[in-house]
Amino acid sequence: MAIYAMTGGATGIGGELRQQLTGAGHQVISVDIKEGDVIADLSTAEGRKAAVDGVRERAPDGLDGLIACAGLPPVARPLSLIAQVNYFAVVAVVEGLKDLVAQRRGTVLIVSSNSAPMIPADDAYVQACLSGDEAAACALVEERDGHVAYAGSKRAVATWMRRNTVPYAKAGVRLNAVAPGITQTPLTDQVFADEQLGQTMRDFQASVPWGGMASPAHIANVMRFMLSEEASFICGAMFFVDGGSDAMLRPDHF
Ligand code: NAD
């Protein structure tokens, strides 16, 4: 039996993964703003500290895996909340629990998005995230729109994963990210319901090469594999699970 900690385990992709892992007999410490073992608002410094302390208290002998899944959609407001939850909370929780994962030569899996490559790497907001300047990133993002706020946060978190793959591996932690495409969850429902982004989302869904929309299980199945011993040589991967959308948009990049 393995012991995992995860953020965003209440609903959607995280809820499905939590159920799959506990159904397989593993222990899961779930951190979420809605419901879970540790209730914490990851948009705040206090919430991130409560998350790290709460997991440490429940897993004194280390973690086999840590999954950073909590995230807000492009329709969340203020836009700075998206940067805070989707980027800064991920880095704070992963860094805060790294030693517990290293204790068991475990793995960290970050949930990015197939929207990440839609924002250029040199975008000022992405760069502010990567420099660790939360105040600057939050100020910059307020001048942008929901798509940039969301996809930029996912670009930043995927880049952070790649930049930290080597030091994490040397410390005994396998670091990876999953990049889901459009998936039927409460987050997606909010975007579909939005006056501005709803139609863009419907058009994007219609363009998915494999057709349709992922279920949370499509994504969680791959995440469960990436966390498992069978995947123990996967390190530094940005694993697209998106019905072929990224290959359609960027055929020459991989
Ligand atoms: P969801 O809304 O069902 O899940 C998000 C979870 O994060 C919820 O449990 C929510 O309570 C939690 N959360 C939100 N704000 C929080 C906060 N401040 N503090 C603590 N917890 C908070 O949506 P989902 O689609 O399952 O999203 C899971 C992850 O997948 C997110 O990171 C999202 O960006 C990513 N993703 C989703 C899609 C999609 O199409 N649904 C596509 C790509 C990536």
Side-chain angles (χ1 to χ4, degrees):
M1 189 184 96
I3 176 163
Y4 296 103
M6 68 185 302
T7 67
T11 60
I13 295 167
E16 171 67 25
L17 179 65
R18 180 177 47 74
Q19 282 176 12
Q20 288 194 11
L21 291 172
T22 53
H26 302 302
Q27 187 186 337
V28 178
I29 303 162
S30 180
V31 178
D32 203 281
I33 196 170
K34 287 185 197 146
E35 59 178 60
D37 304 296
V38 180
I39 304 296
D41 177 356
L42 294 169
S43 69
T44 67
E46 302 74 46
R48 294 168 201 163
K49 184 176 183 316
V52 169
D53 291 349
V55 172
R56 286 193 167 280
E57 201 178 293
R58 288 163 178 81
D61 299 324
L63 292 167
D64 295 288
L66 169 65
I67 305 110
C69 189
L72 287 172
V75 295
R77 294 294 182 276
L79 291 170
S80 52
L81 265 183
I82 301 173
Q84 288 167 334
V85 175
N86 295 9
Y87 180 80
F88 289 98
V90 173
V91 173
V93 170
V94 170
E95 291 272 84
L97 295 172
K98 178 185 174 187
D99 64 305
L100 277 193
V101 183
Q103 222 172 303
R104 291 190 174 214
R105 210 170 155 73
T107 183
V108 168
L109 182 56
I110 290 170
V111 180
S112 179
S113 164
N114 76 339
S115 64
M118 296 174 190
I119 306 299
D122 61 358
D123 181 272
Y125 158 55
V126 172
Q127 288 301 319
C129 288
L130 287 165
S131 73
D133 191 337
E134 188 162 350
C138 288
L140 277 170
V141 80
E142 288 299 342
E143 296 163 13
R144 314 295 286 275
D145 61 26
H147 169 69
V148 173
Y150 180 81
S153 71
K154 297 298 187 178
R155 168 109 213 178
V157 89
T159 306
W160 184 89
M161 180 280 292
R162 293 282 290 182
R163 288 183 180 177
N164 283 278
T165 293
V166 174
Y168 269 61
K170 292 196 184 304
V173 176
R174 203 159 58 77
L175 190 54
N176 289 293
V178 67
I182 184 166
T183 308
Q184 182 66 68
T185 69
L187 178 149
T188 308
D189 292 343
Q190 289 178 61
V191 184
F192 273 127
D194 185 74
E195 218 169 281
Q196 286 178 329
L197 284 177
Q199 191 53 46
T200 309
M201 192 73 150
R202 274 186 282 280
D203 293 343
F204 189 71
Q205 189 200 334
S207 77
V208 175
W210 192 247
M213 175 156 37
S215 67
H218 281 121
I219 312 300
N221 292 344
V222 175
M223 293 172 73
R224 189 166 39 81
F225 165 70
M226 290 178 83
L227 293 165
S228 73
E229 264 310 297
E230 282 88 345
S232 63
F233 207 59
I234 300 181
C235 195
M238 171 79 161
F239 201 131
F240 286 84
V241 188
D242 70 349
S245 296
D246 184 64
M248 174 183 74
L249 294 170
R250 302 186 309 140
D252 295 345
H253 296 269
F254 52 85

